[in-house]
Amino acid sequence: MKFHSVLLCFLVSLSVGSVKAANPEQNLADLMSPAAKISANFSQKLFDADGFEMDSSSGLFSVARPKQILWHTTEPLEQKVVSNGKVVWIYDPDLAQVIIEPAERILSGSPIALFSGNLSDIQRHYAVAEEYRANTAVFSLVPTSKTSLFKEITIVFVDGVPDSIALTDTLSQKTKIQFGNVNLNRALDDTAFDFVVPADVDVINNVR
């Protein structure tokens, strides 16, 4: 599973709000829509179809509307995915390589579109089920498109704050991302979402 594909699906969950409106889709939209900016730490684990851990990583991220992203993996190997809303840079220091993609091509039609909390996007792309227990809300999203990379996305909110997300792909591999130190609507420097390409790296520019 490509890392940046997991990232884009992960960003579906990044907002907070109140729940229990008219239906699961509306409830999820209400949870996702209020927060314009969010930052947190993350730990990510990949499991095979039998539940055995295959890989793990950790780092930090920041997200701001519209579609500004900084996802910085620090362990075990550094990698950055940065979007200013117009282009996406995928930087792999170990390979000394930067891939540049149009944001519209990468983000359009992916779960990151749900970051806006747009109810019509949720209804168009997912069948949503919800479950509540105590202070926890669990949403299960099944993509309606047969070309989706994922069979199911499960998002967990605790006290209205995103706690974790699990993504099950078409090979039944599962990626679990746990959030920590979540900060909502904290001031973020817009320069964090612009990437300066380092010297002496290979650049694959798919924007031109």
Side-chain angles (χ1 to χ4, degrees):
M1 182 188 303
K2 294 295 186 181
F3 172 83
H4 56 272
S5 297
V6 174
L7 163 66
L8 298 182
C9 291
F10 149 73
L11 291 170
V12 65
S13 68
L14 302 183
S15 295
V16 297
S18 59
V19 296
K20 297 189 178 179
N23 52 56
E25 293 85 358
Q26 182 67 65
N27 293 339
L28 183 57
D30 288 346
L31 274 166
M32 293 192 298
S33 60
K37 298 178 181 180
I38 183 170
S39 61
N41 300 329
F42 72 86
S43 60
Q44 176 174 295
K45 294 184 177 182
L46 174 63
F47 301 90
D48 67 13
D50 295 318
F52 291 99
E53 184 176 327
M54 301 168 59
D55 194 17
S56 64
S57 60
S58 61
L60 52 90
F61 69 88
S62 299
V63 175
R65 291 182 187 155
K67 300 179 181 178
Q68 294 176 299
I69 304 161
L70 169 61
W71 179 276
H72 186 186
T73 301
T74 56
E75 298 290 342
L77 295 174
E78 185 179 15
Q79 184 187 51
K80 282 187 178 181
V81 178
V82 184
S83 171
N84 63 4
K86 297 178 181 179
V87 300
V88 176
W89 296 270
I90 303 169
Y91 174 45
D92 193 327
D94 190 51
L95 298 178
Q97 176 180 275
V98 175
I99 300 174
I100 307 174
E101 299 280 0
E104 185 65 24
R105 180 191 305 167
I106 294 295
L107 307 182
S108 179
S110 75
I112 193 175
L114 300 179
F115 178 51
S116 65
N118 190 309
L119 178 59
S120 63
D121 285 340
I122 296 173
Q123 293 174 325
R124 184 181 305 114
H125 296 292
Y126 300 94
V128 183
E130 62 186 334
E131 179 183 351
Y132 295 93
R133 46 181 182 270
N135 63 337
T136 302
V138 181
F139 291 86
S140 297
L141 290 79
V142 176
T144 55
S145 172
K146 294 182 180 180
T147 61
S148 174
L149 294 173
F150 297 92
K151 295 195 298 186
E152 184 179 23
I153 302 170
T154 302
I155 307 167
V156 178
F157 295 85
V158 176
D159 291 326
V161 176
D163 176 75
S164 65
I165 184 168
L167 308 107
T168 304
D169 69 16
T170 54
L171 299 176
S172 295
Q173 295 180 340
K174 179 176 287 188
T175 299
K176 173 71 178 293
I177 303 173
Q178 185 71 45
F179 311 143
N181 299 321
V182 178
N183 292 293
L184 304 170
N185 287 323
R186 187 178 67 179
L188 297 174
D189 187 350
D190 286 344
T191 61
F193 305 110
D194 276 312
F195 183 76
V196 178
V197 177
D200 301 321
V201 301
D202 293 328
V203 177
I204 302 174
N205 191 342
N206 294 321
V207 174
R208 296 178 299 190

